[in-house]
């Protein structure tokens, strides 16, 4: 391996220490404990694992996580009523509705029902719009956690050298690809967004100084696609059968071969994933500031 390993686990741990200190300061100076309501509908086992990890992390940092669990039979209007109740509860600073929701509930309507100042996932149309217009970004406002965490890792790795570079984002979801492209644009990258209908992806990838893979296809990005020296951010989380017959977590990038040509690369696991949870905490601190009239913390 010649690429520098971008250690998301270490970066997230350091970031979490800073946020725990900010939470302690808010408590001491203003008697405010950042509080996030975690809403889980149904019994999807992967969602339960993600929710438990998020709650553990926020509690360790001195935040409050309040659990709202409902059976899969909850109707869309009942869920929206629950969100509305949380919107009006002044003790709740952030609302996180865990996805995926049961098939009979339209996620867009639920996300749109969350008050923008409590939208700690940064996915509401209002907050997506603020990112698009540049009002929100790396240093301010509620921005989608996974791309924000990916961007923080890139900034740590590249610093001011990001300006003017060619960036390729593979994936255009509202959750990752689109906000990632906006964050890169704010850093003065020249951004291309690719998707399943893109022609000749390897040709686009070959000229990218930065390649972000948010596809959901195990190890799709191969060595011969990647420009030598490029920074590669792998957002993908896919289950694959290992040689020992057990399933293992892999990214969208073929890590072993790509790390031989890339300049820097995130591993899976231990790359973007830990930063996602850390950014949820960052957003909860910002949400607490937005609702209490305090200045946004410098974190
Ligand atoms: N680390 C974390 O914390 C974290 C958080 C969220 C997601 N993830 C992971 O990130 C990955 C992407 O998540 P997502 O929610 O963005 O997924 P998604 O909503 O399914 O979007 C996937 C995107 O990839 C594009 N795509 C699919 N196949 C492609 C191909 N062969 N060539 C080029 N583009 C292709 C799709 O194009 P179309 O738009 O044309 O369909 C779509 O835009 C998944 O592995 C997910 O598990 C990780």
């Amino acid at each position: 391996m010649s690429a520098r390993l971008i250690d998301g686990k270490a970066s997230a741990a350091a970031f979490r220490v800073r946020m725990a200190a900010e939470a302690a300061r808010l408590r001491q100076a203003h008697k405010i404990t950042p509080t996030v309501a975690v809403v889980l509908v149904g019994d999807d086992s992967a969602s339960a694992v993600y929710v438990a990890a998020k709650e553990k992390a926020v509690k360790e940092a001195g935040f409050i996580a309040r659990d709202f669990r409902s059976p899969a039979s909850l109707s869309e209007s009942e869920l929206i009523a629950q969100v509305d109740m949380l919107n009006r509860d002044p003790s709740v600073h952030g609302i996180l509705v865990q996805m995926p929701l049961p098939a009979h509930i339209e996620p867009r309507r639920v996300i749109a029902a969350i008050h923008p100042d409590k939208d700690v996932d940064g996915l509401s149309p209002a907050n997506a719009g603020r990112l698009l217009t540049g009002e929100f970004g790396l240093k301010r406002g509620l921005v989608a956690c996974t791309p924000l965490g990916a961007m923080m890792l890139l900034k740590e790795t590249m610093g001011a050298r990001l300006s003017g570079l060619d960036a390729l984002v593979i994936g255009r979801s509202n959750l990752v690809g689109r906000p990632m492209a906006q964050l890169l644009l704010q850093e003065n990258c020249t951004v291309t967004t690719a998707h399943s209908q893109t022609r000749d992806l390897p040709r686009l990838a070959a000229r990218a100084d930065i390649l972000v893979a948010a596809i959901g296809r195990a190890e799709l990005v191969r060595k011969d696609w990647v420009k030598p020296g490029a920074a590669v951010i792998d957002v993908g989380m896919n289950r694959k059968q290992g040689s020992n017959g057990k399933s293992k977590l892999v990214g969208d990038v073929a890590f072993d071969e790509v790390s031989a040509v890339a300049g820097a690369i995130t591993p899976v696991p231990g790359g973007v994933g830990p930063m996602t949870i850390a950014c949820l905490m960052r957003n909860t601190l910002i949400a607490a500031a937005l609702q209490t009239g305090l200045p946004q913390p410098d974190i």
Side-chain angles (χ1 to χ4, degrees):
M1 165 164 177
S2 64
R4 172 178 163 197
L5 192 73
I6 303 173
D7 187 347
K9 209 170 159 187
S11 294
F15 190 33
R16 279 157 64 163
V17 168
R18 296 210 311 272
M19 287 184 293
E22 176 60 18
R25 194 192 66 78
L26 273 182
R27 219 172 14 254
Q28 275 166 8
H30 303 285
K31 298 194 169 32
I32 294 166
T33 304
T35 299
V36 59
V38 181
V39 178
L40 180 61
V41 184
D43 48 15
D44 180 76
S45 57
S47 293
V49 171
Y50 291 141
V51 161
K54 289 172 183 174
E55 290 185 344
K56 181 168 177 282
V58 299
K59 285 176 183 166
E60 277 172 8
F63 295 30
I64 294 172
R66 282 168 58 192
D67 228 3
F68 293 84
R69 293 183 189 230
S70 305
S73 57
L74 191 79
S75 71
E76 185 178 294
S77 57
E78 286 169 324
L79 179 56
I80 288 176
Q82 188 176 63
V83 166
D84 199 41
M85 184 263 293
L86 295 169
N87 281 340
R88 284 182 281 109
D89 182 341
S91 70
V92 169
H93 302 121
I95 303 170
L96 182 164
V97 179
Q98 182 65 40
M99 301 291 157
L101 291 167
H104 63 276
I105 299 179
E106 172 56 63
R108 273 178 201 262
R109 280 199 283 268
V110 177
I111 292 168
I114 300 171
H115 190 288
D117 289 352
K118 295 195 177 191
D119 167 33
V120 286
D121 271 332
L123 298 175
S124 67
N127 289 334
R130 287 172 180 146
L131 175 65
L132 191 80
T133 55
E135 185 186 338
F136 284 1
L138 192 60
K139 284 282 168 196
R140 60 205 174 275
L142 299 170
V143 177
C145 298
T146 299
L148 184 66
M151 197 64 221
M152 289 173 76
L153 291 178
L154 257 179
K155 275 291 264 192
E156 269 178 39
T157 308
M158 316 275 293
R161 287 180 297 138
L162 276 171
S163 187
L165 296 184
D166 280 331
L168 174 68
V169 180
I170 313 177
R172 58 175 165 180
S173 70
N174 291 337
L175 184 63
V176 190
R178 285 174 203 248
M180 187 74 217
Q182 292 304 321
L183 289 166
L184 286 160
L185 196 58
Q186 288 189 11
E187 295 299 324
N188 299 319
C189 293
T190 303
V191 186
T192 304
T193 303
H195 45 76
S196 67
Q197 307 306 307
T198 296
R199 292 182 197 164
D200 205 355
L201 201 46
R203 183 183 56 81
L204 292 175
R207 48 168 252 220
D209 305 301
I210 296 162
L211 191 157
V212 180
I215 314 164
R217 301 276 181 276
E219 298 173 331
L220 182 78
V221 177
R222 314 300 303 198
K223 177 183 175 176
D224 51 351
W225 290 22
V226 174
K227 179 175 177 179
V232 176
I233 303 291
D234 190 354
V235 180
M237 290 201 306
N238 313 286
R239 287 264 154 215
K240 186 188 165 192
Q241 187 101 333
S243 50
N244 59 2
K246 290 188 181 160
S247 104
K248 64 171 186 169
L249 195 62
V250 298
D252 291 338
V253 176
F255 180 84
D256 288 341
E257 58 177 68
V258 171
S259 54
V261 289
I265 187 168
T266 55
V268 176
V272 174
M275 290 300 288
T276 297
I277 294 183
C279 287
L280 171 69
M281 293 156 68
R282 173 255 192 215
N283 280 353
T284 304
L285 283 173
I286 289 180
L290 285 172
Q291 280 148 70
T292 53
L294 293 170
Q296 290 195 26
D298 184 21
I299 39 174

